[in-house]
Amino acid sequence: MYDFIVDLIHTLFKNGLTLSSLGAVVFLILKQRKMKAQLRKFLPWMFQDDNEIKAYMANQIVIMRNQEIIMKGLGLEPCVITLNEKPQASAKSLSNIYSSSWATITYAHIARKLPRRRRYAMAEKLVVLDPGHGGKDPGASGPTKKREKDFVLTMALKVEDILKNVPNITVSLTRRTDVYLELSDRAKVANRMKADFFVSIHANSFLSTSHGSETFYKKDNSKSAAQILNKAMVGASGLYDRGVKYGNFAVIRETTMPSVLLEVGFISNPEEEKLLFDPAFQDRVALAIAKSICDYMGVKFVVQPAPGKPIPVSYPTMEVTVHAEPAQKFEGINVGGTTWLPSRPIGEYLGGKIGYKKGQVTINGTAVETMNIGGTGYVTARALAENVGARPFWDKENPTKVDIYPKEAV
């Protein structure tokens, strides 16, 4: 009885009054032979078959083990203790503690303490890259008249080229040619797509002696991303670290998702201008940016297909223009005469709700034929358009061009 009382007090004080702890108390009571005999006398219906209790407890163990598997899949490590051990130091300050009957403790509060990147454990993620300036806006110019808009577009395309082969990440650009886009339109593109992350790429300019790389953020939920990307960028560039700073720039202020603005180096500095347009430097920094995006989003960076997996087949590309506000260009593919589109960026830009169920893309809850290419779910242009109420048109003179008009424009 002494052991029973000690275990009972320990369970209640350590774990609080929860359903799990109450279950543990009942289990402790049933372990006491005298108590069990008294209960059998006054509540015989409880003991019609002891096997039912054993089955119940076995079922609870299965449930708890399944919870542990789910937690590990989400990147959370359960803390396992015995009744004579102290909780891990990292768990002492947590408020919401849920305990199983064998004292396996899981902490709900820990999910709110983890960096945002740990919440990106599963499902496809959408990153929008924003090459600054463009068209009539050349951005800054260097001593040899090289233009910022050309450098940043090259960098964005290189980062995209790396990330498009990484499973579970889809990349979209606010521009992929030398066109002008208003700052507010850049944010609208990312917001309309419901992107998970937004990265604007720039080159800095001030004095000819100014030097170094820096990263800006506006919202608190973007600071950790800025720190991760800045560290990687500085490490790859070898330039002076100007640090992570708060900045009230329109593109990172008006976007609704975590957003950062990268200043790779000073185009006004003759030495750094030369570096910014050096292909080897660009490749090195682009790779670092791509890896750090994966790091932040909790996606495993894979440069080449894993052993045993087939190498993705190359298909003819299709130029897709979605005539929403603002109009945005995407890249589709032609497979056997059928146009296939990356489901999430285009579907959500058209106002649809894109999901994944049993290996198939769902559009507004309807499962459609899906082709998985490099971890990205592709659907046919017609299926996508039909399920979001849009209209696709193929250019008769140039079959590689497709125009899609949202329902409000039809």
Side-chain angles (χ1 to χ4, degrees), residues 80-101:
V80 182
I81 64 172
T82 66
L83 292 176
N84 294 322
E85 291 177 337
K86 294 182 180 180
Q88 294 175 6
S90 61
K92 291 181 180 178
S93 61
L94 301 174
S95 58
N96 296 327
I97 301 180
Y98 298 88
S99 173
S100 70
S101 56

Side-chain angles (χ1 to χ4, degrees), residues 138-150 267-268 273 277:
S141 296
T144 65
K145 306 304 179 184
K146 287 187 170 66
R147 300 175 299 185
E148 179 184 2
K149 69 174 184 177
D150 300 325
I267 198 171
S268 58
E273 179 200 28
F277 287 87

Side-chain angles (χ1 to χ4, degrees), residues 11-83:
T11 298
L12 291 175
F13 275 86
K14 285 288 184 183
N15 305 329
L17 190 60
T18 66
L19 290 176
S20 295
S21 62
L22 289 176
V25 170
V26 171
F27 184 63
L28 289 173
I29 291 174
L30 294 177
K31 283 175 62 179
Q32 308 305 309
R33 292 185 178 181
K34 292 183 180 180
M35 185 63 71
K36 185 175 180 180
Q38 292 297 322
L39 289 172
R40 186 189 293 275
K41 180 178 179 181
F42 293 103
L43 301 170
W45 53 270
M46 288 183 61
F47 300 91
Q48 290 178 0
D49 188 356
D50 280 355
N51 289 331
E52 293 182 6
I53 296 176
K54 294 177 180 179
Y56 170 80
M57 295 307 300
N59 185 53
Q60 294 305 303
I61 290 174
V62 171
I63 291 173
M64 295 300 177
R65 285 175 178 167
N66 287 339
Q67 289 175 341
E68 182 177 349
I69 292 171
I70 292 171
M71 285 180 64
K72 288 182 176 179
L74 293 172
L76 301 176
E77 289 295 333
C79 170
V80 182
I81 64 172
T82 66
L83 292 176

Side-chain angles (χ1 to χ4, degrees), residues 366-382:
T366 301
V368 297
E369 184 181 1
T370 302
M371 183 164 57
N372 189 308
I373 301 177
T376 297
Y378 278 71
V379 299
T380 65
R382 292 193 185 280

Side-chain angles (χ1 to χ4, degrees), residues 125-129 163 169-172 195-197 199 293 297:
K125 310 304 172 189
L126 175 59
V127 181
V128 171
L129 302 176
L163 287 178
I169 279 192
T170 298
V171 185
S172 187
D196 297 299
F197 191 31
V199 180
I293 288 173
M297 302 191 77

Side-chain angles (χ1 to χ4, degrees), residues 80-372:
V80 182
I81 64 172
T82 66
L83 292 176
N84 294 322
E85 291 177 337
K86 294 182 180 180
Q88 294 175 6
S90 61
K92 291 181 180 178
S93 61
L94 301 174
S95 58
N96 296 327
I97 301 180
Y98 298 88
S99 173
S100 70
S101 56
W102 68 81
T104 298
I105 300 177
T106 62
Y107 305 96
H109 190 60
I110 197 170
R112 296 193 296 271
K113 294 291 187 182
L114 291 170
R116 180 178 173 84
R117 66 180 185 275
R118 293 299 301 276
R119 295 206 292 271
Y120 291 110
M122 295 182 291
E124 186 177 294
K125 310 304 172 189
L126 175 59
V127 181
V128 171
L129 302 176
D130 172 45
H133 310 285
K136 66 181 182 181
D137 175 15
S141 296
T144 65
K145 306 304 179 184
K146 287 187 170 66
R147 300 175 299 185
E148 179 184 2
K149 69 174 184 177
D150 300 325
F151 162 72
V152 297
L153 180 58
T154 299
M155 288 298 297
L157 290 171
K158 288 193 174 191
V159 175
E160 178 195 36
D161 193 53
I162 296 168
L163 287 178
K164 70 182 182 182
N165 293 318
V166 176
N168 299 318
I169 279 192
T170 298
V171 185
S172 187
L173 272 63
T174 56
R175 69 178 183 96
R176 55 179 60 254
T177 57
D178 186 20
V179 295
Y180 175 74
L181 230 65
E182 295 284 353
L183 295 177
S184 59
D185 286 340
R186 297 169 188 268
K188 285 178 183 177
V189 167
N191 293 340
R192 185 163 186 141
M193 287 183 188
K194 299 181 179 65
D196 297 299
F197 191 31
F198 177 89
V199 180
S200 190
I201 304 175
H202 289 259
N204 224 332
S205 180
F206 190 48
L207 303 175
S208 62
T209 54
S210 301
H211 63 289
S213 304
E214 59 189 344
T215 303
F216 291 90
Y217 71 96
K218 171 66 170 66
K219 301 179 286 289
D220 289 341
N221 67 353
S222 305
K223 186 174 182 179
S224 63
Q227 292 169 333
I228 292 169
L229 268 68
N230 188 74
K231 181 179 179 181
M233 178 175 65
V234 170
S237 71
L239 300 178
Y240 171 70
D241 185 1
R242 297 174 65 91
V244 171
K245 302 174 182 177
Y246 173 91
N248 191 25
F249 299 104
V251 289
I252 56 175
R253 180 182 66 243
E254 297 178 16
T255 41
T256 56
M257 71 293 304
S259 309
V260 299
L261 187 148
L262 306 178
E263 296 279 11
V264 181
F266 277 84
I267 198 171
S268 58
N269 182 312
E271 292 181 3
E272 293 194 2
E273 179 200 28
K274 184 178 179 180
L275 273 177
L276 293 176
F277 287 87
D278 175 48
F281 175 89
Q282 293 173 348
D283 291 342
R284 189 166 66 247
V285 175
L287 179 61
I289 292 173
K291 285 183 176 180
S292 59
I293 288 173
C294 291
D295 182 27
Y296 169 66
M297 302 191 77
V299 174
K300 185 177 180 180
F301 180 81
V302 181
V303 178
Q304 297 176 342
K309 291 187 177 182
I311 298 174
V313 179
S314 177
Y315 298 103
T317 59
M318 303 285 289
E319 182 183 320
V320 183
T321 303
V322 178
H323 294 271
E325 183 56 43
Q328 182 69 6
K329 291 186 180 294
F330 298 89
E331 191 175 274
I333 57 174
N334 184 312
V335 182
T338 300
T339 302
W340 290 75
L341 307 175
S343 56
R344 184 172 176 193
I346 298 180
E348 294 190 343
Y349 198 65
L350 287 165
K353 184 177 181 181
I354 308 300
Y356 299 90
K357 186 176 182 180
K358 296 181 179 179
Q360 278 190 299
V361 171
T362 61
I363 306 173
N364 292 333
T366 301
V368 297
E369 184 181 1
T370 302
M371 183 164 57
N372 189 308

